[in-house]
Amino acid sequence: MEAHAHHKENFITKYIFSTDHKMISKQFLITGVVMGIVGVIMSLLFRLQLAWPNQEWPIMEALLGKWAPDGVMDPNMYLALVTIHGTIMVFFVLTAGLSGTFSNLLIPLQIGARDMASGFINMLSYWFFFVSSVIMLASLFVESGPAAAGWTVYPPLSALPEAMPGSGMGMTLWLVSMTFFIVSSLLGALNYIVTVLNLRTKGMSMTRLPLTIWAFFVTAIIGVLSFPVLFSAALLLLFDRSLGTSFYLSDIMVAGEVLQNQGGSPVLYQHLFWFLGHPEVYIILLPALGISSEVISTNARKPIFGYRAMVGSILAIAFLSFIVWGHHMFVTGMNPFLGSVFTFTTLLIAIPSAVKAFNYITTLWKGNLRLTPAMLFSIGLVSTFITGGLTGLILGDSALDINVHDTYFVVAHFHIVMGLSAIFGLFAGVYHWFPKMFGRKMNKTLGYLHFWVTFICAYGVFFPMHFLGMAGLPRRYYTNTAVPMFDDLTNINVLISYFAILGGVAQVVFLWNFFYNAVRGRKAEQNPWQSNTLEWTTPVEHIHGNWPGELPEVHRWPYDYSKPGMEEDFVPQTVPLTEKEMQTGH
Amino acid sequence: METLLFILVGVLGIIAIVQAVRVFEISARVKGDDENKVSDKDNRTQGLLLLLFLFFFLGAFAWMVYSWDSVILPKAASLHGADIDSLWAISMGVIIVAFLVTQPLLFGFSFLFRGSKKRRAVYMEHNNKLELFWTGVPAVVLAGLILYGLTTWSETMNPSPEDEPLVVEVYGYQFNWKARYSGTDNKLGYANVRLIEGVNQLGLDVNDVSSLDDKVTNVLHLPVDRPVMLKFRAQDVIHSAYMPHFRVQMNAVPGTETQFQFEPTMTTAEMRQDPEVVEKVKNINELRSAQGKDPYEFDYMLLCNKICGSAHYNMNMKVVVQTQEQFDKWLQEQKSFAETL
């Protein structure tokens, strides 16, 4: 490793095929941001359609071409947009963009390692992700349109090109892209696990790890155990599509033809999919919770309340996430007894989640809150985590799920608890660690502006959706005007779309703040937030190997903020225990 | 041309925003030392905004509950639906209480403990009693919800076999529904997509005696106050039969038969008289007449609720609940499978 520090670099090895975790982290972030822009623009297009159905939008024709004749979106394109929006947001932005960015940046820096266990595998992880992104974007341009069977791509719809145009070439590309994505995710996760287990610096015991690292570590374990199952689901679907197998198909007549497939079960696919799909929710959420723990503690100038309970609840959530997948399938006709088991395990998750929420709130109690943009986004995260989490008690209850399953109530629930919380975690992370990533600072005022417009619009978009769901409006409907009983919902849809457009436009403020200041921003000092963790002991200018000399030694946990008897209101982990501390054992 | 103009306006709009933002940034820089350090003044402003947001949020919540009460579904029109509604009310009560306790604490603390250079935070690592309390309370409440939920679920999904329900098949295909009545023998004949031919759209087996008296219809008629067992079949992809007014939903899966038994308790005619429904229909018709559309009359609906292709949004079937006599009379008028051949 030492030798690498003086290794000569050219443009390609430094910026493109880099094996340095800090550069790879930026690559993940910027790719994630680009994918995020695509995903948000898609959502704005279908919000236009939902609020003002059949209205002619020149922009629609300009962007969608033959899929929006005379500026009115084609129903197939509507389904394609919701499908790709979901896929991009769940996987490309909130999995790779969030976990890929911050696991890469923070794991080596916060545990005191020179780099990831394998820089080369880390580089491969990014490039598989890059190829996956390119294929997914390319699928937007094929003749028959991109995949359109919903982000969960349930067969037989996704298996039969005769069933919808989106199940043609676009679906094949979707599966290929996801295969690359899974490889990327596995390579990354293995690296994170090995790095956390083996490369912690002297004194950095597991109980002294910052909660960010605990979250990334457990996330990686969940990923390694669940993504391979999605891989097999995708592989079998590929076989059904191209080799004539019948894993998911049986007794089907489509477009006037009887298919020869017999004996398969579409529900098998759902089991395999959700065995990843549910843990995936926590793959997205846990890193955001880890980030907010760190940001809240630092800016409250107070230890995170109940560190051990926080670690315990991360572990409990991770364990439970593997035995709740059936709650996505209460109405597939599965055995009612199985439904009972999944209801039981699902509702149990509320306990560790409640513990986390209360611990966050108590961390604020009697703190000295420095309300930076990162802190505001973290507070916003706690708010959405609670609001969205609570409706989980309704949806996780099989008897209640019967009536709101696949309605807008679900759309509201998962966007608030998973989408908003995770994206707020991502923003909090970017604002907080921007000085570490780019050695410069983002503009505070723009950060405040960005937070407030985003936060209000986010609730403005998703909170009213609960009411749409309670009115019985199904999700993935191209328009609600075909059924007169939903005619009184159009006004709510218009309101939602206004918030969506305003919230979408507000992201320009963030993009400007991010890209402009990455290049031209004011230079950052070494420890701008007076934080305890190790990443702030590295030089502002990035160097290979992170620390110029010896690796730092750790003497204490990362949350000694405002400790009585200490002069400053923070005590970095590298500061040896004082005599008094040794006596009292703290 | 119009399109080009539209794009031009969009691009100019974005440039304008970016430039405005730029001015903002430069003026901040000119003003001086470190514009990005959070000052006590910032903490005051942002803390106050967080508190204001709390009031705005709770106010907006109350407004939505008040003004959108009329859009949500009326009370259940089925026996088990009433139980689900009670469970719903209690669960909603629990989560609204939790919501109204935690959000004010979160935003209230954010305001109360906004930072100041003069203060120092209180060092507090953990508190076992407190943590035990907020682990214990949710655990107890959840135990209650789980027990209540599972009882309701089990009663809904495991109806008594002695009910002798009316058996009806609901058949989904891209993009419509059909209903099949079992005829005098109350037994549905064998059917498979492989047997679909000409008028035999549901693939009934001609050689099965019990299929000959089956009746296939485009509207689902159900007698009131009698248990009905719906059996679901799909021809091509997964569909889902969602009947929101009855609190019924079940997927129709190709290659598998699924089922749902329930008992309607209100006829369509009775439901049309229900005050909640009258109110809702009145609202809808005001909106419709403003758009020059025909007036709407309430009907129960069976909606497709699993993405199934381009016309998914328009795949539904009218459901009519009537008295046993009306139902018998209607069924009498329908042609049997044998008659259609």
Side-chain angles (χ1 to χ4, degrees):
Chain A
M1 273 295 169
E2 283 295 306
H4 279 284
H6 310 288
H7 179 69
K8 208 157 166 28
E9 290 183 315
N10 57 32
F11 181 82
I12 290 188
T13 56
K14 184 165 179 199
Y15 291 106
I16 299 178
F17 295 108
S18 171
T19 56
D20 186 302
H21 72 101
K22 301 182 289 297
M23 182 56 68
I24 293 175
S25 135
K26 287 190 239 180
Q27 291 174 329
F28 266 107
L29 179 58
I30 288 169
T31 315
V33 167
V34 171
M35 294 302 275
I37 295 171
V38 177
V40 168
I41 289 176
M42 288 179 164
S43 70
L44 295 184
L45 289 177
F46 61 70
R47 277 316 314 175
L48 287 182
Q49 159 62 23
L50 286 171
W52 300 280
N54 297 324
Q55 181 128 335
E56 295 177 8
W57 299 96
I59 183 139
M60 209 86 100
E61 194 170 12
L63 286 172
L64 302 175
K66 68 164 182 170
W67 294 103
D70 299 324
V72 178
M73 187 185 287
D74 179 271
N76 282 304
M77 187 32 74
Y78 174 82
L79 296 178
L81 287 176
V82 295
T83 301
I84 305 297
H85 164 80
T87 308
I88 284 183
M89 286 308 193
V90 168
F91 293 109
F92 293 82
V93 179
L94 296 177
T95 303
L98 176 59
S99 190
T101 302
F102 290 102
S103 297
N104 264 308
L105 178 72
L106 295 177
I107 289 178
L109 287 175
Q110 288 195 332
I111 66 171
R114 300 242 178 245
D115 204 316
M116 282 289 174
S118 166
F120 180 72
I121 288 182
N122 209 19
M123 178 187 83
L124 279 185
S125 163
Y126 172 72
W127 283 102
F128 270 101
F129 169 55
F130 182 82
V131 172
S132 159
S133 306
V134 170
I135 297 174
M136 191 57 79
L137 292 180
S139 82
L140 301 176
F141 299 97
V142 298
E143 177 71 25
S144 53
W151 78 278
T152 54
V153 297
Y154 283 179
L157 185 60
S158 61
L160 308 174
E162 306 92 323
M164 71 190 315
S167 294
M169 186 64 186
M171 188 61 218
T172 306
L173 288 176
W174 191 96
L175 287 167
V176 173
S177 166
M178 283 312 295
T179 308
F180 276 90
F181 186 90
I182 294 166
V183 173
S184 154
S185 179
L186 289 175
L187 290 174
L190 286 171
N191 225 343
Y192 307 151
I193 296 171
V194 173
T195 308
V196 172
L197 288 179
N198 293 310
L199 297 184
R200 279 169 291 128
T201 188
K202 192 173 172 205
M204 181 62 90
S205 60
M206 291 301 273
T207 51
R208 281 178 182 168
L209 283 180
L211 286 172
T212 35
I213 303 302
W214 267 109
F216 300 148
F217 176 61
V218 175
T219 301
I221 294 175
I222 301 177
V224 165
L225 294 178
S226 63
F227 265 114
V229 181
L230 179 66
F231 182 75
S232 45
L235 204 61
L236 298 187
L237 184 52
L238 217 51
F239 287 169
D240 274 6
R241 288 172 54 80
S242 15
L243 303 181
T245 54
S246 302
F247 291 105
Y248 307 133
L249 306 175
S250 185
D251 296 323
I252 288 170
M253 177 177 181
V254 66
E257 299 265 340
V258 173
L259 304 183
Q260 291 315 305
N261 307 75
Q262 194 149 23
S265 165
V267 178
L268 169 65
Y269 172 85
Q270 298 183 24
H271 280 293
L272 294 174
F273 180 87
W274 287 113
F275 191 83
L276 157 94
H278 198 79
E280 170 67 20
V281 170
Y282 294 98
I283 291 176
I284 287 173
L285 195 54
L286 288 179
L289 293 176
I291 287 170
S292 62
S293 305
E294 186 63 24
V295 171
I296 286 181
S297 174
T298 305
N299 289 300
R301 314 308 292 160
K302 244 186 111 212
I304 191 82
F305 187 82
Y307 175 87
R308 275 166 197 272
M310 290 299 243
V311 174
S313 48
I314 290 177
L315 293 173
I317 289 173
F319 170 73
L320 288 172
S321 77
F322 280 99
I323 50 171
V324 299
W325 79 91
H327 68 223
H328 298 271
M329 302 166 59
F330 286 142
V331 297
T332 53
M334 71 178 179
N335 188 326
F337 175 71
L338 215 54
S340 306
V341 175
F342 282 120
T343 296
F344 178 70
T345 53
T346 301
L347 295 192
L348 282 186
I349 292 196
I351 300 174
S353 306
V355 168
K356 285 195 90 72
F358 283 118
N359 282 0
Y360 282 127
I361 293 175
T362 315
T363 305
L364 301 179
W365 167 255
K366 293 195 171 176
N368 192 18
L369 310 186
R370 198 170 51 195
L371 296 170
T372 63
M375 181 66 165
L376 291 180
F377 272 110
S378 300
I379 292 170
L381 177 156
V382 177
S383 172
T384 54
F385 179 61
I386 294 172
T387 309
L390 285 172
T391 49
L393 290 181
I394 302 267
L395 292 163
D397 196 329
S398 48
L400 299 178
D401 182 65
I402 294 173
N403 203 45
V404 277
H405 187 93
D406 267 340
T407 65
Y408 270 84
F409 198 83
V410 181
V411 180
H413 164 72
F414 73 77
H415 273 98
I416 295 178
V417 74
M418 174 181 87
L420 295 186
S421 301
I423 208 86
F424 289 176
L426 178 67
F427 283 135
V430 169
Y431 281 105
H432 194 76
W433 280 288
F434 192 84
K436 192 75 264 165
M437 294 182 106
F438 297 96
R440 293 171 189 276
K441 286 184 167 184
M442 285 174 90
N443 181 293
K444 176 189 69 182
T445 319
L446 291 178
Y448 286 147
L449 179 69
H450 174 226
F451 168 75
W452 282 110
V453 181
T454 305
F455 188 50
I456 291 171
C457 289
Y459 264 132
V461 169
F462 297 113
F463 208 93
M465 287 189 186
H466 293 116
F467 292 86
L468 299 182
M470 286 191 280
L473 182 64
R475 68 193 285 208
R476 291 168 177 156
Y477 266 23
Y478 164 67
T479 170
N480 59 337
T481 51
V483 186
M485 70 179 268
F486 298 132
D487 274 357
D488 52 349
L489 303 180
T490 306
N491 292 336
I492 303 181
N493 263 326
V494 170
L495 182 73
I496 292 174
S497 290
Y498 278 131
F499 275 118
I501 293 166
L502 182 61
V505 171
Q507 303 316 308
V508 175
V509 176
F510 170 75
L511 292 177
W512 168 266
N513 201 356
F514 180 84
F515 285 108
Y516 179 79
N517 287 311
V519 188
R520 305 275 295 273
R522 183 187 281 269
K523 286 258 188 310
E525 56 267 48
Q526 196 183 16
N527 189 359
W529 316 116
Q530 293 84 44
S531 182
N532 288 343
T533 38
L534 291 182
E535 75 272 27
W536 305 105
T537 62
T538 61
V540 177
E541 295 286 332
H542 287 176
I543 54 166
H544 249 326
N546 296 337
W547 284 269
E550 293 280 295
L551 284 175
E553 191 179 335
V554 166
H555 298 280
R556 57 177 74 236
W557 76 327
Y559 297 111
D560 273 343
Y561 289 106
S562 304
K563 198 166 193 189
M566 298 290 182
E567 198 179 321
E568 297 272 6
D569 69 351
F570 70 111
V571 190
Q573 288 189 275
T574 47
V575 174
L577 295 178
T578 61
E579 244 168 67
K580 190 169 152 266
E581 283 181 306
M582 291 215 240
Q583 280 158 12
T584 55
H586 278 288
Chain B
M1 194 59 213
E2 209 178 318
T3 311
L4 268 177
L5 268 176
F6 201 89
I7 295 174
L8 201 66
V9 169
V11 169
L12 285 177
I14 289 174
I15 291 176
I17 292 172
V18 166
Q19 287 305 320
V21 161
R22 180 94 196 274
V23 169
F24 213 27
E25 167 127 311
I26 290 171
S27 74
R29 189 159 295 196
V30 170
K31 256 189 263 162
D33 29 36
D34 196 343
E35 75 272 9
N36 292 321
K37 275 252 159 45
V38 174
S39 63
D40 283 1
K41 185 168 159 258
D42 290 326
N43 285 333
R44 276 197 303 278
T45 321
Q46 299 303 319
L48 199 64
L49 284 173
L50 285 166
L51 188 68
L52 286 178
F53 175 80
L54 172 68
F55 293 126
F56 165 75
F57 190 27
L58 296 180
F61 175 57
W63 179 80
M64 286 188 261
V65 171
Y66 173 76
S67 33
W68 294 342
D69 183 50
S70 66
V71 308
I72 63 179
L73 288 168
K75 67 169 187 281
S78 64
L79 214 50
H80 80 280
D83 297 336
I84 289 184
D85 282 3
S86 315
L87 175 63
W88 178 280
I90 287 175
S91 303
M92 258 305 171
V94 168
I95 70 174
I96 288 175
V97 167
F99 176 78
L100 292 179
V101 168
T102 48
Q103 299 285 356
L105 285 180
L106 175 68
F107 291 105
F109 287 178
S110 303
F111 167 74
L112 275 179
F113 303 107
R114 64 195 181 282
S116 150
K117 295 218 165 43
K118 296 181 211 115
R119 279 198 315 118
R120 205 173 155 124
V122 171
Y123 188 85
M124 185 166 70
E125 288 174 57
H126 65 105
N127 179 328
N128 289 346
K129 266 190 200 153
L130 214 52
E131 289 177 71
L132 204 64
F133 171 74
W134 63 54
T135 314
V137 171
V140 171
V141 174
L142 276 174
L145 280 185
I146 290 174
L147 275 178
Y148 188 10
L150 291 185
T151 318
T152 312
W153 167 252
S154 145
E155 280 168 6
T156 304
M157 301 311 279
N158 304 304
S160 156
E162 289 136 42
D163 283 346
E164 290 178 17
L166 170 76
V167 179
V168 185
E169 177 180 82
V170 171
Y171 182 82
Y173 60 96
Q174 287 180 324
F175 296 96
N176 214 339
W177 297 94
K178 293 254 187 269
R180 174 158 68 114
Y181 293 84
S182 44
T184 41
D185 58 357
N186 203 21
K187 191 168 171 247
L188 290 165
Y190 175 78
N192 188 294
V193 290
R194 284 161 217 279
L195 303 173
I196 293 176
E197 206 184 356
V199 290
N200 185 5
Q201 279 181 46
L202 268 57
L204 271 62
D205 187 355
V206 193
N207 300 321
D208 185 351
V209 198
S210 47
S211 68
L212 292 176
D213 63 344
D214 289 0
K215 294 180 170 181
V216 178
T217 65
N218 294 323
V219 177
L220 180 63
H221 281 246
L222 299 173
V224 73
D225 295 331
R226 175 168 174 200
V228 48
M229 166 67 89
L230 297 185
K231 304 254 182 197
F232 301 95
R233 213 150 55 86
Q235 175 174 303
D236 31 42
V237 301
I238 301 176
H239 302 279
S240 184
Y242 177 38
M243 296 192 273
H245 301 101
F246 303 111
R247 316 296 188 247
V248 169
Q249 182 165 198
M250 184 51 69
N251 289 358
V253 185
T256 315
E257 193 176 72
T258 55
Q259 61 183 42
F260 198 113
Q261 183 175 324
F262 71 107
E263 184 175 325
T265 52
M266 281 175 96
T267 62
T268 302
E270 282 168 342
M271 201 63 171
R272 284 178 182 166
Q273 304 296 318
D274 183 85
E276 278 179 282
V277 173
V278 170
E279 169 82 15
K280 191 176 161 80
V281 169
K282 195 172 134 255
N283 286 341
I284 289 177
N285 279 331
E286 272 166 26
L287 292 163
R288 283 179 74 89
S289 75
Q291 296 166 343
K293 291 185 189 164
D294 299 339
Y296 153 76
E297 192 170 32
F298 174 84
D299 264 311
Y300 293 119
M301 296 297 279
L302 185 153
L303 307 163
C304 183
N305 198 16
K306 186 59 77 186
I307 181 171
C308 66
S310 59
H312 169 53
Y313 69 99
N314 199 14
M315 174 173 167
N316 51 59
M317 174 163 63
K318 191 163 100 171
V319 183
V320 177
V321 179
Q322 46 200 172
T323 60
Q324 185 72 49
E325 299 83 63
Q326 290 166 326
F327 172 77
D328 290 338
K329 183 164 172 284
W330 171 81
L331 194 59
Q332 200 75 57
E333 291 161 4
Q334 309 304 311
K335 276 190 183 157
S336 73
F337 178 56
E339 285 167 325
T340 58
L341 283 177

